[in-house]
């Protein structure tokens, strides 16, 4: 028997999260896409850890990246300089370059430090691909691990993935009816 929370998560996470990331990438907004991907990792890590609060966010993020992302990620460095650097100060402290290109040669540079460069490269297209794989793997784990399913359900019931925006015209009509 399928868990309704897992079914919703499987459907709604891509529908609500991936579309925003893809919109940033379409507009060549690599920083925005990377920030959104890091926020998505935060969300996935809370579902995988049974902790809906922001407490222990660093440990959750690092554990999730360690388990669900390729081994060439240094989870602690990625958290510190990419996730926190961009989310909190819009700056990766001269540790990483952002290369927003969908070309295969550019994607191959993801998390490498090319000869003559002093920083590693983050390619949001590669990062996005890894996020999708992590989500898929988490769903598979949820479907096969009863303890993880319980952990996930306890968090998802408190913080479900849901649509966060409404079309401006629709909202204005609703507010007008309420005389706000």
């Amino acid at each position: 028997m399928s868990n309704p929370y897992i079914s919703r998560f499987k459907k709604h996470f891509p529908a609500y999260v991936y579309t925003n990331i893809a919109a940033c990438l379409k507009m060549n907004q690599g920083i925005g896409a990377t920030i959104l991907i890091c926020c998505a990792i935060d969300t996935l890590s809370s579902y995988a850890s049974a902790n809906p609060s922001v407490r222990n966010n660093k440990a959750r993020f690092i554990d999730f990246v360690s388990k669900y992302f390729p081994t060439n990620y240094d989870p602690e460095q990625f958290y510190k300089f990419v996730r926190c650097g961009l989310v909190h100060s819009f700056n990766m402290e001269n540790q990483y370059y952002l290369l927003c290109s969908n070309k295969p040669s550019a994607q191959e540079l993801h998390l490498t430090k090319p000869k003559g460069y002093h920083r590693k490269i983050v390619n949001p297209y590669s990062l996005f691909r890894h996020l999708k794989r992590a989500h898929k793997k988490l769903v598979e784990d949820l479907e096969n691990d009863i303890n993880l399913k319980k952990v996930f359900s306890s968090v998802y019931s408190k913080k479900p993935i849901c649509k966060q925006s409404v079309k401006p015209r629709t909202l204005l009509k609703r507010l007008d009816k309420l005389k706000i």
Side-chain angles (χ1 to χ4, degrees):
M1 187 160 125
S2 180
N3 181 311
Y5 290 147
I6 296 171
S7 298
R8 284 186 223 138
F9 170 65
K10 186 177 181 179
K11 177 182 175 185
H12 291 164
F13 189 82
Y16 300 147
V17 176
Y18 294 174
T19 53
N20 287 290
I21 296 166
C24 283
L25 291 173
K26 183 178 179 182
M27 299 299 294
N28 201 35
Q29 298 300 310
I31 291 174
T34 303
I35 290 170
L36 290 174
I37 293 167
C38 289
C39 291
I41 295 169
D42 279 338
T43 300
L44 293 176
S45 71
S46 72
Y47 288 145
S49 72
N51 184 356
S53 76
V54 293
R55 286 186 186 187
N56 300 317
N57 193 39
K58 178 181 179 180
R60 279 194 332 235
F61 188 99
I62 289 169
D63 288 346
F64 187 83
V65 171
S66 296
K67 183 172 183 177
Y68 290 100
F69 278 70
T71 57
N72 62 332
Y73 282 78
D74 180 331
E76 195 152 336
Q77 292 296 305
F78 190 83
Y79 177 82
K80 182 178 180 180
F81 295 112
V82 179
R83 186 257 183 227
C84 291
L86 288 177
V87 171
H88 296 296
S89 64
F90 224 61
N91 186 324
M92 294 184 286
E93 299 181 35
N94 296 320
Q95 298 295 314
Y96 291 87
Y97 284 119
L98 201 66
L99 176 59
C100 188
S101 172
N102 199 18
K103 292 181 181 179
S105 59
Q107 289 190 49
E108 288 174 14
L109 294 171
H110 182 62
L111 298 181
T112 66
K113 190 186 293 187
K115 189 176 181 177
Y117 287 85
H118 301 290
R119 301 179 198 178
K120 283 187 177 181
I121 291 174
V122 172
N123 184 298
Y125 285 95
S126 296
L127 183 57
F128 190 26
R129 189 174 66 252
H130 296 154
L131 172 71
K132 289 177 179 180
R133 286 184 192 152
H135 172 251
K136 183 178 178 182
K137 176 69 171 126
L138 177 58
V139 169
E140 289 171 6
D141 288 353
L142 289 168
E143 291 171 340
N144 296 313
D145 182 333
I146 196 155
N147 292 325
L148 183 60
K149 191 181 297 187
K150 287 178 187 175
V151 163
F152 167 80
S153 294
S154 71
V155 176
Y156 194 86
S157 66
K158 295 176 186 111
K159 276 181 46 175
I161 292 286
C162 58
K163 194 171 187 175
Q164 298 293 319
S165 62
V166 66
K167 292 179 181 176
R169 195 174 306 173
T170 303
L171 182 59
L172 291 173
K173 283 181 183 177
R174 288 180 190 166
L175 292 174
D176 193 42
K177 287 180 183 179
L178 295 173
K179 305 288 187 223
I180 293 178

